[in-house]
Amino acid sequence: MKPLWIVLGVFGLLIVVLLLVGGSYIGARNTLVEKNEAVNQAYAQVDVVQQRRLDLIPNLVATVKGYVNEESTVLTNIANARAGVLAAGSDHAAAINANTKLDVALGPFFRLQEQYPNLKGSDQFTRLSDELAGTENRIAVERQRYNRTLEDYNVYVRQFPNSIWANFAGFHYRDEYFKGNPENATAPKVDFSK
């Protein structure tokens, strides 16, 4: 009779352990799915505000062309960067890289208004410029939210025991962060002697 109780006790313990492990896996998998979808949703929101910027650019370029024929290099760079964003499609890494190039291309554009006072006086340019500046702020906020959501996902995927379940379920670390413009790492030189 005693060996039967020992076998039943071991069998019961094994069932309890399997239930705990299975419950842990199911809980971790559900959380991974939720966090992965949160990352995708955050990226989609970034994509929405970046699309708004892409929609504004042709109107701004057309407005500026009417005033500034000799600044065609700036406008060409913006058009090429915009085309790169559109060509990136749904590849997150390529889209992030293309939008960084667009950020760089827009810098000289904002400096044009200082060189052309008549351009600043144009109501259409001012309105579109204000809309673009507001859109740039929205993009910055949404990129920050996306990076925080992605960080939350990555931390969860790398923590123990979640890392075991994540690898088992096919969830991996995602290095798709929006990063700052590398050109901003160099401080501008200021020379007051001129």
Side-chain angles (χ1 to χ4, degrees), residues 111-130:
R111 289 189 292 275
L112 282 178
Q113 51 187 320
E114 296 169 10
Q115 296 172 354
Y116 297 93
N118 290 339
L119 181 61
K120 275 201 288 193
S122 164
D123 290 338
Q124 184 179 9
F125 177 80
T126 303
R127 183 180 55 77
L128 290 170
S129 173
D130 289 344

Side-chain angles (χ1 to χ4, degrees), residues 46 49-50 53 134-144:
V46 170
V49 291
Q50 287 178 159
R53 174 174 65 178
T135 300
E136 291 297 324
N137 289 336
R138 288 183 191 133
I139 288 171
V141 167
E142 294 303 332
R143 284 178 178 176
Q144 184 180 22

Side-chain angles (χ1 to χ4, degrees), residues 16-84:
V16 168
V17 168
L18 287 175
L19 286 174
L20 288 173
V21 169
S24 173
Y25 171 74
I26 291 170
R29 174 130 168 74
N30 288 342
T31 302
L32 286 164
V33 168
E34 179 184 326
K35 290 184 180 295
N36 190 53
E37 286 305 310
V39 169
N40 291 338
Q41 188 280 330
Y43 185 80
Q45 186 58 32
V46 170
D47 207 29
V48 165
V49 291
Q50 287 178 159
Q51 183 61 47
R52 175 181 159 80
R53 174 174 65 178
L54 291 177
D55 294 343
L56 284 171
I57 288 173
N59 296 332
L60 279 166
V61 168
T63 302
V64 173
K65 275 185 179 177
Y67 286 91
V68 189
N69 290 328
E70 58 271 9
E71 298 293 347
S72 63
T73 304
V74 172
L75 302 177
T76 301
N77 290 343
I78 291 171
N80 290 341
R82 181 179 183 271

Side-chain angles (χ1 to χ4, degrees), residues 14 65 92 108 112 119 149 167 177 179:
L14 184 60
K65 275 185 179 177
H92 289 197
L112 282 178
L119 181 61
T149 305
N167 286 329
Y177 289 100
K179 297 174 177 84

